[in-house]
Amino acid sequence: MTQTTSSQPLSNQEEKIIDVPSEIVATPKTHQENLGPIPDISPEDWEYNPDTIIKYYRGKPLQVLGRLINISFPFASFMLTNWWHSLLGTSKKNQKKQAEKLRKILTRLGPAYIKIGQALSTRPDLVSPAYLEELTSLQDQLPPFPNEIAYQFIEEELGSKPEEVYQEITPNPIAAASLGQVYRGRLKTGEEVAIKVQRPDLVRRITLDIYIMRSIATWVKENVKRIRSDLVAITDELAARIFEEMNYMKEGENASKFKDLYGHLEEIYVPKIYWEYTGRRVLTMEWIEGTKLTDIEKIQAQGIDATHLVEVGVQCSLRQLLEHGFFHADPHPGNLLAMGDGRLAYLDFGMMSNIKPYQRYGLIEAVVHLVNRDFDGLAQDYVNLDFLTPETDLTPIIPALAEVFNNALGASVAELNFKKITDEMSAMMYEFPFRVPAYYALIIRSMVTLEGIAINIDPEFKVLSKAYPYVAKRLLTDQSEQLQASLRDLLFKDGSFRWNRLENLLRNAKDSPDYDFDRVMNQGMEYLLSERGKFIRERLATEIVNYLDKMGQKTWFNISSSVSRVVGWDSPQRPAVMNNGSVDSQSMEHLQNIIEILQETDGYDPMKLVPIITKILQNSETQKLGQQIAGGLAQKATARLIRNLLLDNNSNNNGNGKSPSKKDQLSLPVAAMR
């Protein structure tokens, strides 16, 4: 919820209250609308319980039907009016009026629908400017509830009247959103604070909508077989997060945890929570002076690069999703502020979620496989991420993925965004047995919302191209066995080392803001010389043997050719490996590129390599590797010498026992090197 510096006139219109009984969930003892006495309930009981909600509303069919009518008629009227304007060719003329109508419909329908409008307000690629302007007001400019109720909640939660708790408090809210409204105040100790107070009877307004959405999801799950995703689980996941969002004590805990995990980042700021002035319906947090990310002109007037701040937000979101697994699921413009000193401030920590380690690693692997067009690996990633069951036959899915993403990717992965991925995947998900796991819904909400903000600032902004440097860094530096196995599979294929992929990883990783060159070098060497790196050492030894063997043949051929020209003999036969010289030249080119990338990386210092090289040379595994390389070269040379001696003897004797000439004798070593 945005904290602004100026108060705006807000209507005192109060939202309609939905009558929900006390057995659904506890309600404040005040403003009960004649519901009768409600006992005190501990905060733990304010959790989402679908069974309790279902049990109650199954006995209230008329109330459910009434709500369905209240929802259906406004939307039907809105769509009918849009169709009529389209028929008359007056859509553009009436667009602003229709956008205002939609905003009012969503506001009247309550928090669940307001949140839908908030999500749409961040998608300029989906919604026209007229609708964007109206829907943006849903972020923090909704009708407030009366001050006397807010002040009463403060007194009940904190045990004293507002004037006794705070030195100053604004007479009216300076912002109002779906679940609460914000006042600006000052503590007795002088700190400026934002005071968020929850709307009255909030749970009562939300539970019926949740029941209806869950009932529809259940019906679709049972009757529409083409939709294999568990819509009920997805609804439950969203509902559980909304219920958590309605408990400000939980939000305070989320804010503190978020600050511990990400507050140390140089360009991120997380406000302080004042616990002694916080309760279930009242939250007191540090006041933040800032500007919405979507107010580009105001941000630029302060000398701040709005696009850079979005990149900061993307990097922070990647850490949330892929590093710690605790992420902000509602990063709309009202919750992200550009501070005067150029930092990005996060607000409103009500809707947070967690992602498990195997899911985090699976997402990293999926991005890597997508970028490298490894569709076999990508298909397996969908199994690991629970989009496909383990028994699913991937044979027809792999070429379908290749077709979908090759069409979407075009010339570069940088052209791809989350919306395009979703659009391209939607048709294929109907054809094959894909299902969207519940945890993924909030991830998509988070990233698509952030991408929507970015597109509003820079239409050419692509989240994936900004994300890959971080993913590459994680793949190179993370010590988890899963990611190290993924790195191994990425770099080796059919016994060959794919230098181009290592080059690509290093080039992208060095652009990650917190890329640590020393750590990468030390960790890379440590892994290479460890037991886990045995596979890579063996493959690397084979690569080196093949390379040195080819170079040796070429060198000897060049020497022999020079001698032959001097003495006037025929040039020796050209080794077959020289006909495939492009492979070696490409490998050398990749090696040179890798050296250049390392030299361009922040923190590079040739002197830092001395202890690393010393450590490598002294390591017993290095000595074994050297012996393995020497043995491999000797084995190849011996086998070739024997083979070619036999071939040359057969060719020179021709069955008559003649000895080879001096010229042929010179060619024997040359043949042995082939």
Side-chain angles (χ1 to χ4, degrees), residues 547 554 580-592:
Y547 178 77
K554 290 180 181 180
N580 194 27
S582 61
V583 176
D584 292 335
S585 62
Q586 288 176 5
S587 296
M588 287 302 299
E589 184 178 345
H590 284 305
L591 284 171
Q592 291 172 357

Side-chain angles (χ1 to χ4, degrees), residues 365 369 374-386 388 390 392 394 397-398 401:
E365 291 174 318
H369 289 147
D374 183 353
F375 299 113
D376 290 37
L378 186 62
Q380 186 58 49
D381 292 333
Y382 280 115
V383 175
N384 299 337
L385 289 169
D386 303 323
L388 296 168
T392 303
L394 301 181
I397 294 177
I398 293 169
L401 284 171

Side-chain angles (χ1 to χ4, degrees), residues 50 248 370 372 403 616 665:
Y248 287 170
L370 177 60
N372 289 282
E403 181 179 358
I616 293 173
Q665 289 173 359

Side-chain angles (χ1 to χ4, degrees), residues 405-422:
F405 285 110
N406 278 329
N407 291 338
L409 289 169
S412 169
V413 174
E415 300 171 5
L416 201 63
N417 59 32
F418 280 96
K419 178 182 178 296
K420 197 166 186 179
I421 291 175
T422 305

Side-chain angles (χ1 to χ4, degrees), residues 19 143 264 311 332 344 438 528 586 612 622 662 672:
D19 183 16
H264 67 280
E311 292 183 18
H332 66 70
L344 179 66
L528 183 62
Q586 288 176 5
I612 295 177
T622 306
K662 289 183 178 179

